[in-house]
Amino acid sequence: MSARPAIFYTIVFFILLPIYFWIQPSVKPVSALEEKQESLLKLSGIDAITIASGTESLRFQKSKDGSFYEVVAPPGKFIPRDLMDAMVSLLTSAKSVEVVADNSNDLAQFGLDQPKSVVTIEAPGQPQPIKIAFGNENPTHTAIYAQIEGIPKVFLLGENMEYYQSLMFQWIEGKQGKNA
């Protein structure tokens, strides 16, 4: 056996190696990937949340001593505290969201021309309530489109937000917790 094939393949390898790295797509730094993601809300806490969906509406707020959330509208209804806490946690701890449109003139494509629901958040240190409109699901059904009133950007939020809202309305309507 001759050493020629081994030498030939070694030379070809060293010729093709720089070409491979030259045509290989470069990996973007993490800061470039996070460029299109933004913090949703910069809140230290939430005093009250109102959720409106169609003709239905519910509101919960911190109790007088501030230790838990309680339903105030519609009066006499019940929503489990952990469900209200989960909703508050989603809104306060959302680190970043995906921006899908910087300035959308056509909100209909996201279902935001006639939102499915609107969440109004009252928080300490905020001069006025923050309103977030929720539209359609994305094509993969993993998130929903949302827009904060006064900001032209359209965000993509996790499906949990819509799920918690629907659970809350089920509790208000008496369709949950019958065996609890």
Side-chain angles (χ1 to χ4, degrees):
M1 280 203 79
S2 147
R4 275 186 157 169
I7 294 171
F8 173 75
Y9 288 122
T10 303
I11 292 171
V12 169
F13 172 76
F14 284 111
I15 290 173
L16 293 177
L17 187 64
I19 294 171
Y20 170 77
F21 284 111
W22 181 64
I23 63 169
Q24 181 72 18
S26 64
V27 177
K28 294 182 180 179
V30 175
S31 60
L33 293 174
E34 292 175 354
E35 186 175 301
K36 284 300 274 182
Q37 298 202 353
E38 296 183 3
S39 177
L40 176 62
L41 302 170
K42 295 176 179 126
L43 302 174
S44 59
I46 294 178
D47 291 333
I49 294 179
T50 303
I51 304 171
S53 179
T55 60
E56 298 179 308
S57 177
L58 66 91
R59 177 181 171 83
F60 61 92
Q61 65 187 27
K62 277 191 175 178
S63 62
K64 293 191 188 316
D65 64 2
S67 61
F68 58 90
Y69 290 95
E70 57 189 358
V71 178
V72 293
K77 296 296 183 174
F78 173 78
I79 297 175
R81 289 183 185 161
D82 60 344
L83 185 54
M84 292 182 279
D85 290 339
M87 173 72 88
V88 169
S89 178
L90 273 177
L91 292 167
T92 57
S93 67
K95 299 292 183 223
S96 61
V97 294
E98 183 179 348
V99 178
V100 294
D102 287 324
N103 190 3
S104 178
N105 295 329
D106 183 22
L107 293 176
Q109 68 179 334
F110 303 110
L112 292 165
D113 57 332
Q114 296 178 341
K116 290 183 179 180
S117 65
V118 176
V119 174
T120 305
I121 303 163
E122 296 172 30
Q126 295 291 324
Q128 59 187 5
I130 300 167
K131 290 186 179 182
I132 305 173
F134 293 94
N136 296 333
E137 290 181 337
N138 66 340
T140 59
H141 303 288
T142 57
I144 54 176
Y145 297 110
Q147 185 178 38
I148 299 173
E149 184 178 79
I151 299 175
K153 296 179 181 181
V154 176
F155 299 96
L156 198 56
L157 297 176
E159 193 67 27
N160 286 347
M161 188 67 68
E162 185 176 48
Y163 176 68
Y164 289 160
Q165 289 178 35
S166 67
L167 279 180
M168 287 183 181
F169 280 112
Q170 287 176 12
W171 276 97
I172 293 295
E173 296 167 359
K175 295 178 182 175
Q176 281 282 345
K178 294 199 183 254
N179 297 326

